[in-house]
Amino acid sequence: MPFQKSDSQVFRGLNLAGMALGLGLVGFAGAATAETYTCTMKPAGKSHAIPTQLVVTYDPATATAQAFDGIIKHYVGNPIPATLKSKNAKRVLFTWTVPGVKNNSGQYAAGLVYSLNIQLPSGTANMTGKPQGYSNSWRGTGKCTVK
């Protein structure tokens, strides 16, 4: 049975304002230059582990990034480090791993590995996720805004 997590359970009570506060955007280091990507995603098929809303911040001054969504909130409670894999005039690509997760069926994965590819300047986004140690993966599409 593939590793899955019920989207409705993970995202109950989550909103973008709460995620922004969770990321501490007001006090984010280098806030004057930090880029905040706020995304709304639509999971493809039965992609229960693609978040419907997420926020990624990137501070070019320190080359640091953070990600936060309902899955991270559920399993970790706080924003987690993300990695900027590439950025140019046409796209930006972030990756992150949510560590040590167990689903409702008791299946354990060492981590959920995510990538978020945002097309610029349109904001069209593609997201993939994969549980470490399992063959299945998830996909979703959506839209991101940057501030």
Side-chain angles (χ1 to χ4, degrees):
M1 179 172 167
F3 187 90
Q4 295 184 24
K5 179 67 184 166
S6 171
D7 190 46
S8 61
Q9 182 183 23
V10 171
F11 293 104
R12 194 174 304 141
L14 182 70
N15 61 48
L16 290 174
M19 284 193 287
L21 289 173
L23 277 169
L25 297 179
V26 175
F28 189 72
T33 60
E35 301 166 6
T36 301
Y37 297 86
T38 304
C39 306
T40 302
M41 303 301 295
K42 181 179 179 184
K46 295 182 179 182
S47 299
H48 300 293
I50 292 293
T52 54
Q53 298 180 327
L54 66 132
V55 175
V56 177
T57 59
Y58 174 67
D59 184 352
T62 61
T64 57
Q66 294 183 0
F68 194 59
D69 59 32
I71 294 168
I72 296 167
K73 180 180 178 184
H74 179 81
Y75 287 109
V76 180
N78 305 308
I80 61 173
T83 301
L84 175 68
K85 293 300 244 183
S86 67
K87 182 178 181 189
N88 57 42
K90 294 185 178 183
R91 74 177 187 128
V92 60
L93 174 63
F94 293 101
T95 62
W96 61 91
T97 300
V98 181
V101 297
K102 186 186 282 189
N103 70 4
N104 290 338
S105 301
Q107 294 172 300
Y108 176 82
L112 301 179
V113 180
Y114 288 96
S115 68
L116 176 66
N117 187 14
I118 305 167
Q119 302 299 313
L120 301 174
S122 70
T124 301
N126 293 300
M127 186 172 189
T128 61
K130 182 177 183 347
Q132 292 176 326
Y134 291 82
S135 61
N136 58 313
S137 62
W138 310 291
R139 298 189 181 285
T141 58
K143 189 87 168 172
C144 299
T145 58
V146 61
K147 291 185 180 178

